[in-house]
Amino acid sequence: MTVRRRILVFQLVTLGCFAVVVGAMLITLRLTGDFVRRVDGVHSRFEAISDLDSLGNNYAEQLAEVLLLGPEQMPDFELAQREIEAGFRRLTEVTRKEFATLGGLGEVQQELPEAELSARLHEFYRAIDRAAARVFKAQAEGQQDRAVDIFRRS
């Protein structure tokens, strides 16, 4: 084998090794990017859940104030209602975005219970809100005993 052939073979082997390293690097960067998007989606959902927790506490506080202090506290309660509804919409949005980062049907199926839990929490809030509306209506009609009964049964 001549020196030129040895140099050519060496260059081809070096080029091949370089191509393998570049390919491995590109695959690693893609996987890392997917992982970062997934972590960002999970973080956004946890942030939305945390925000929803504080909005739920505020809603409960405003509900108690209306029940204890009277209808003059209703504007604050209505604001708390709008804020918690917006919180549920944000949770739904970030959950959908997180699902978009999932790789396959198996991963989506693993995350479905989380989406179902969010839907159940929203329905639970709506049931509380409907009960509060019935309590407020009974109070407005001067039926305090009925309002207390609705409150206790709900």
Side-chain angles (χ1 to χ4, degrees):
M1 188 181 272
T2 66
V3 174
R4 283 186 180 199
R5 282 193 168 241
R6 286 183 181 176
I7 291 173
L8 181 62
V9 169
F10 178 71
Q11 286 177 338
L12 290 175
V13 169
T14 303
L15 185 62
C17 289
F18 181 73
V20 168
V21 168
V22 168
M25 184 180 68
L26 291 174
I27 290 170
T28 302
L29 285 173
R30 179 183 163 104
L31 291 174
T32 302
D34 291 345
F35 181 73
V36 167
R37 282 190 293 281
R38 177 70 197 267
V39 168
D40 187 47
V42 169
H43 174 75
S44 294
R45 192 161 104 218
F46 284 143
E47 189 175 271
I49 290 169
S50 176
D51 291 346
L52 196 56
D53 180 49
S54 65
L55 292 171
N57 288 335
N58 184 47
Y59 174 84
E61 178 184 343
Q62 297 308 318
L63 174 60
E65 285 184 7
V66 171
L67 293 173
L68 294 173
L69 304 175
E72 59 272 0
Q73 302 298 318
M74 191 58 86
D76 291 336
F77 174 74
E78 291 168 347
L79 176 63
Q81 281 179 309
R82 289 190 299 274
E83 288 175 342
I84 199 167
E85 282 293 338
F88 277 112
R89 283 191 300 275
R90 181 170 180 264
L91 178 60
T92 300
E93 178 184 322
V94 298
T95 301
R96 285 186 184 142
K97 285 182 181 177
E98 181 188 353
F99 277 21
T101 67
L102 299 177
L105 186 58
E107 289 180 345
V108 171
Q109 287 178 335
Q110 287 178 336
E111 293 296 322
L112 281 178
E114 295 295 326
E116 291 170 0
L117 176 63
S118 297
R120 284 194 306 265
L121 285 173
H122 196 184
E123 188 53 40
F124 182 63
Y125 155 73
R126 287 182 180 149
I128 291 170
D129 202 48
R130 287 189 299 269
R134 289 193 314 270
V135 168
F136 296 153
K137 182 179 177 191
Q139 278 185 329
E141 294 171 351
Q143 301 173 346
Q144 188 63 28
D145 291 340
R146 183 170 168 255
V148 170
D149 185 51
I150 293 170
F151 180 78
R152 286 184 177 159
R153 284 186 291 131
S154 299

